[in-house]
Amino acid sequence: MVDRDRAGLAEFLRRRREALQPEDVGLPRGQRRRTSGLRREEVAALCHMSTDYYARLERERGPQPSQQMLASIAQGLHLGLDERDHLFRLAGHQPPARGSVSEHISPGLLRILDRLADTPAEVVTELGETLRQTPPAVALTGDASRRSGPARSLGYRWFTDPAARALYAPEDHPFLSRLYASHLRQVVTLRGPGSRAAQLAELALARSEELRRLWERHEVGLQPEDTKRFVHPEVGELTLHCQTLLDPEQSHRLLVYTAVPGTESHEKLQLLSVVGAQTLG
């Protein structure tokens, strides 16, 4: 724990808020905007907190924010890693670890994601944990924010929860099993014993006989197909192309799913925007 700087924290938050424009975070500018930068209520919504709580921080009032709250603020304000660490120190906390274990999405990836509001897209970790989704992605694959613990990882769910496979074409299941086993083994080797990857693998291996069989094959280097087939409970099968953008510093990937215009899958994607995420958990 380090000393908290209320005044410094308040000033930093105000300056970062004033430096952001609505279009920087995927918000409409609207007409009659007089505020320099974002409004407090806009920042509060981006940070998933009440406007009153955020306003008190800018006014040098209120309790010391928790590390979880600071992480939400850093993400909502699109802070870089140095800015995030500065924020934590101003608030009296040691900054979180960087690298592969970090869940802080870079401002660059966030800016791209903010501009994909009408497209299924998500930011995932090297362990397949979804950190942020667009609304169409929630409609396509379910709301990742509802998941916790090891179940946040798609690879873990694939081998421990039969419901995870229902979203994918059955004929693709054998290859996907090999793919997830191969990728998990590679990450475990990369990060080493005692890593989050190693702990996740240990949990999954204890629960899945299929994973244990695949693990013994030591198969590595498998790459995902560019085309993915989803089976949605409302609109049926979709064939989508997956484009990937990698942030090597954080080991995060931005996945963007598109369909060829004029195809049935393209029409179904448009329908998903109407169906929404009501049927998926």
Side-chain angles (χ1 to χ4, degrees):
M1 186 74 70
V2 295
D3 292 336
R4 178 167 44 149
D5 182 352
R6 283 181 180 268
L9 175 63
E11 179 69 12
F12 181 66
L13 291 176
R14 284 195 298 270
R15 295 302 184 191
R16 295 310 306 141
R17 173 173 61 82
E18 292 169 355
L20 283 175
Q21 300 303 316
E23 51 268 27
D24 294 333
V25 294
L27 296 176
R29 172 166 288 277
Q31 299 177 351
R32 303 184 180 180
R33 175 173 285 271
R34 299 177 182 177
T35 305
S36 174
L38 296 181
R39 301 185 179 99
R40 286 194 181 98
E41 57 267 28
E42 291 172 330
V43 170
L46 290 170
C47 299
H48 307 291
M49 63 184 61
S50 71
T51 302
D52 177 68
Y53 182 92
Y54 178 79
R56 281 186 290 162
L57 292 178
E58 281 201 4
R59 293 168 181 156
E60 304 180 32
R61 297 164 50 196
Q64 181 183 30
S66 66
Q67 295 187 45
Q68 182 178 5
M69 192 69 76
L70 290 169
S72 294
I73 294 172
Q75 207 67 90
L77 287 173
H78 285 43
L79 301 184
L81 284 174
D82 289 337
E83 293 173 316
R84 181 205 65 173
D85 292 354
H86 183 65
L87 171 72
F88 269 74
R89 293 188 179 100
L90 288 173
H93 291 286
Q94 290 293 340
R98 297 192 180 198
S100 63
V101 298
S102 173
E103 296 190 359
H104 182 78
I105 305 172
S106 71
L109 283 189
L110 277 180
R111 283 193 293 270
I112 298 172
L113 191 70
D114 289 337
R115 286 158 174 76
L116 297 172
D118 61 347
T119 303
E122 58 183 350
V123 176
V124 301
T125 70
E126 65 181 9
L127 292 177
E129 302 156 320
T130 298
L131 301 179
R132 186 73 66 92
Q133 300 168 284
T134 60
V138 175
L140 176 65
T141 62
D143 186 355
S145 68
R146 298 182 182 181
R147 306 181 187 115
S148 60
R152 295 178 61 206
S153 166
L154 175 57
Y156 178 86
R157 295 197 309 277
W158 184 264
F159 290 108
T160 61
D161 181 5
R165 304 191 179 200
L167 191 60
Y168 301 89
E171 52 268 36
D172 294 340
H173 289 185
F175 173 74
L176 290 174
S177 292
R178 291 171 54 212
L179 177 69
Y180 292 133
S182 167
H183 179 73
L184 182 56
R185 179 176 278 282
Q186 286 183 249
V187 178
V188 169
T189 302
L190 177 65
R191 302 305 172 194
S195 64
R196 288 184 62 239
Q199 295 168 4
L200 189 72
E202 183 179 356
L203 291 172
L205 285 164
R207 294 188 55 183
S208 172
E209 181 181 351
E210 180 188 19
L211 178 58
R212 290 194 294 271
R213 291 199 309 268
L214 292 170
W215 201 259
E216 291 175 357
R217 294 165 61 173
H218 282 260
E219 190 172 27
V220 295
L222 290 184
Q223 297 299 317
E225 301 287 348
D226 293 335
T227 300
K228 299 183 183 296
R229 291 188 294 176
F230 294 91
V231 182
H232 192 276
E234 291 294 321
V235 302
E237 186 170 312
L238 302 93
T239 299
L240 304 179
H241 294 269
C242 180
Q243 304 297 322
T244 303
L245 180 63
L246 175 67
D247 175 5
E249 184 176 7
Q250 297 289 87
S251 297
H252 294 163
R253 291 172 294 151
L254 172 62
L255 307 180
V256 183
Y257 303 99
T258 61
V260 176
T263 63
E264 184 177 0
S265 292
H266 187 263
E267 295 177 358
K268 289 179 178 180
L269 266 189
Q270 294 178 315
L271 180 59
L272 266 183
S273 65
V274 178
V275 173
Q278 298 177 1
T279 60
L280 287 176

